[in-house]
């Protein structure tokens, strides 16, 4: 009997090894031919799925992907493309990625918080130049605390307030929820925007303060470096009433201390003396050094005996003065002075008439 040659086609996968047998059957039974081994040719890569993106931190991205559905050859490499999508949605900036081309995972650091990135993977095999590229997949990185927070500016000061301006941080790293102006590390003003700045009251005159700005997102806050400012001078705070001591009938020792709150540079003291009997007021600039804030100042005043005086202290800065409460003293008595000679008349052998005047200065009762 002549040998009859038969043929047929079957569907196979590229770059795959198969064992082929033919089965022949008649009415009695079937038998199998010996096995033939074949390997199909390589083809282009097919079915590369997009990667999976997950953030490990606001600046670190983990990228994973699977092998393509049909590699159809020996793996050559995976090429990972990562791009930053700018805020306008149209500008694309490539990001350099270093990873093992044989691996299906990559970690990328140093990214921008609260920014959108997109990634795709291209796979290739050794045998062909036909690659398969996935679709793009996007991710927005988590928010982070702001960076590049600039110190605020003290625009103007008064004796009790400061007006402050401040600006957005260089890198917001998220949605700004709060600006806080801190004075000596205590929050004194809070706002959700930079538009109006801030005026902070209830400060102490002629005092140096530290000024800083804290800017917050939902992820945290960042505080700027401190800057210093000094409030303006004002009139001095209250000075205690002077201490008086009569050291003789004609001298009074006046003692006083600098005010606890000078509110500026003390430029001068003036002793104000009132003669209660005549209502005469005399201002005396004592020769003392006002730059000595803690010492006790003393001045000896020359006065009249047996006279009531009140004394107060005027304390001056460049802005003006404040006066202490007054203290009273009466100088001691002493012998009268200013006596005139008596006038004698009607002199007889046994009598005479005398006329005299009160002393000019009785110096007592």
């Amino acid at each position: 009997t002549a040998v009859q040659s038969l043929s047929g086609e079957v569907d196979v996968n590229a770059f795959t090894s198969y064992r082929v047998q033919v089965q022949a059957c008649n009415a009695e039974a079937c038998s199998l031919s010996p096995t033939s081994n074949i390997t199909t040719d390589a083809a282009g890569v097919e079915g590369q799925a997009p990667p999976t993106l997950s953030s490990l931190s606001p600046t670190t991205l983990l990228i994973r992907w699977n092998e393509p559905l049909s590699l159809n050859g020996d793996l050559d490499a995976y090429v990972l493309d990562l791009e930053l999508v700018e805020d306008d949605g149209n500008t694309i900036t490539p990001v350099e990625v270093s990873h093992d081309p044989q691996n299906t995972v990559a970690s990328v650091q140093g990214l921008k918080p609260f920014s959108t990135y997109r990634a795709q993977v291209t796979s290739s095999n050794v045998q062909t130049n036909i690659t398969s590229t996935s679709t793009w997949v996007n991710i927005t990185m988590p928010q982070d605390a702001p960076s590049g927070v600039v110190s605020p500016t003290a625009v103007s000061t008064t004796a009790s307030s400061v007006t402050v301006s401040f600006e957005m941080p260089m890198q917001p790293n998220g949605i700004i929820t709060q600006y806080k102006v801190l004075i000596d590390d205590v929050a004194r003003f809070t706002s959700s925007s930079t538009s109006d700045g801030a005026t902070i009251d209830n400060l102490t005159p002629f005092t140096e303060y530290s000024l800083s700005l804290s800017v917050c997102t939902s992820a945290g806050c960042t505080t700027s470096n401190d800057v210093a400012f000094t409030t303006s001078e004002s009139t001095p705070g209250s000075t205690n009433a002077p201490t008086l001591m009569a050291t003789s009938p004609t001298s009074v020792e006046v003692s006083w201390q600098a005010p606890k709150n000078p509110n500026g540079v003390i430029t001068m003291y003036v002793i104000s003396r009132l003669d209660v009997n005549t209502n005469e007021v005399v201002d005396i600039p004592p020769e003392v050094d006002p730059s000595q804030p803690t010492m006790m100042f003393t001045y000896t005043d020359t006065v009249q005996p047996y006279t009531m005086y009140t004394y107060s202290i005027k304390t001056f800065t460049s802005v003006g003065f404040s006066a202490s409460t007054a203290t009273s003293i009466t100088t001691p008595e002493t012998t009268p002075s200013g006596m005139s000679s008596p006038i004698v008349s009607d002199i007889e052998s046994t009598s005479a008439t005398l006329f005299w005047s009160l002393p000019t200065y009785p110096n007592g009762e």
Side-chain angles (χ1 to χ4, degrees), residues 158-162 183 188 199-205 209 231:
T158 68
S160 60
S161 68
V162 60
I183 292 184
R188 299 289 297 271
T199 297
I200 299 167
D201 300 310
N202 299 319
L203 303 181
T204 301
Y209 292 94
T231 49

Side-chain angles (χ1 to χ4, degrees), residues 53-198:
L53 310 182
S54 56
S55 58
L56 300 181
S57 75
T59 59
T60 302
L61 179 63
L62 182 66
I63 307 174
R64 296 180 181 272
W65 61 93
N66 294 322
E67 292 184 357
L69 185 63
S70 300
L71 186 56
N72 294 337
D74 294 317
L75 176 65
D76 178 27
Y78 293 107
V79 176
L80 176 62
D81 294 313
L82 181 64
E83 296 178 341
L84 170 64
V85 181
E86 300 290 352
D87 292 339
D88 59 13
N90 298 318
T91 305
I92 304 298
T93 303
V95 178
E96 184 176 348
V97 178
S98 176
H99 72 100
D100 182 354
Q102 303 290 315
N103 208 344
T104 58
V105 63
S107 178
V108 186
Q109 299 178 334
L111 302 182
K112 295 170 61 176
F114 201 58
S115 297
T116 299
Y117 290 87
R118 69 178 189 177
Q120 68 175 8
V121 175
T122 299
S123 52
S124 62
N125 59 34
V126 176
Q127 287 77 13
T128 72
N129 59 0
I130 303 173
T131 61
S132 177
T133 301
S134 74
T135 57
W136 290 99
V137 61
N138 289 19
I139 187 173
T140 298
M141 301 298 288
Q143 297 190 54
D144 200 0
S147 56
V149 176
V150 180
S151 301
T153 300
V155 178
S156 62
T157 60
T158 68
S160 60
S161 68
V162 60
T163 299
V164 179
S165 67
F166 49 92
E167 59 190 55
M168 286 187 63
M170 296 179 185
Q171 292 85 37
N173 294 339
I175 299 172
I176 301 299
T177 59
Q178 193 175 66
Y179 293 90
K180 293 186 288 187
V181 177
L182 291 82
I183 292 184
D184 290 347
D185 298 325
V186 176
R188 299 289 297 271
F189 176 84
T190 301
S191 175
S192 60
S193 72
T194 63
S195 58
D196 297 327

Side-chain angles (χ1 to χ4, degrees), residues 291-331:
S291 65
Q292 303 298 319
T294 58
M295 68 178 294
M296 176 72 75
F297 298 101
T298 301
Y299 174 78
T300 300
D301 188 23
T302 301
V303 291
Q304 296 297 319
Y306 198 61
T307 303
M308 177 179 283
Y309 296 97
T310 63
Y311 287 86
S312 62
I313 305 297
K314 295 178 180 178
T315 307
F316 288 79
T317 66
S318 63
V319 177
F321 75 92
S322 64
S324 72
T325 56
T327 304
S328 299
I329 191 171
T330 299
T331 52

Side-chain angles (χ1 to χ4, degrees), residues 173-316:
N173 294 339
I175 299 172
I176 301 299
T177 59
Q178 193 175 66
Y179 293 90
K180 293 186 288 187
V181 177
L182 291 82
I183 292 184
D184 290 347
D185 298 325
V186 176
R188 299 289 297 271
F189 176 84
T190 301
S191 175
S192 60
S193 72
T194 63
S195 58
D196 297 327
T199 297
I200 299 167
D201 300 310
N202 299 319
L203 303 181
T204 301
F206 201 60
T207 301
E208 182 175 285
Y209 292 94
S210 66
L211 178 66
S212 59
L213 178 69
S214 178
V215 186
C216 304
T217 66
S218 61
C221 302
T222 301
T223 302
S224 72
N225 293 328
D226 289 343
V227 292
F229 74 93
T230 301
T231 49
S232 306
E233 291 192 55
S234 181
T235 55
S238 61
T239 303
N240 290 333
T243 300
L244 308 178
M245 181 175 66
T247 56
S248 76
T250 58
S251 61
V252 172
E253 185 179 87
V254 184
S255 301
W256 72 97
Q257 284 185 308
K260 291 183 179 180
N261 300 308
N263 295 341
V265 176
I266 302 299
T267 59
M268 181 173 61
Y269 291 103
V270 170
I271 299 172
S272 186
R273 182 188 70 202
L274 168 67
D275 185 327
V276 175
N277 295 329
T278 64
N279 285 327
E280 179 187 16
V281 177
V282 177
D283 283 339
I284 306 165
E287 295 183 359
V288 296
D289 182 1
S291 65
Q292 303 298 319
T294 58
M295 68 178 294
M296 176 72 75
F297 298 101
T298 301
Y299 174 78
T300 300
D301 188 23
T302 301
V303 291
Q304 296 297 319
Y306 198 61
T307 303
M308 177 179 283
Y309 296 97
T310 63
Y311 287 86
S312 62
I313 305 297
K314 295 178 180 178
T315 307
F316 288 79

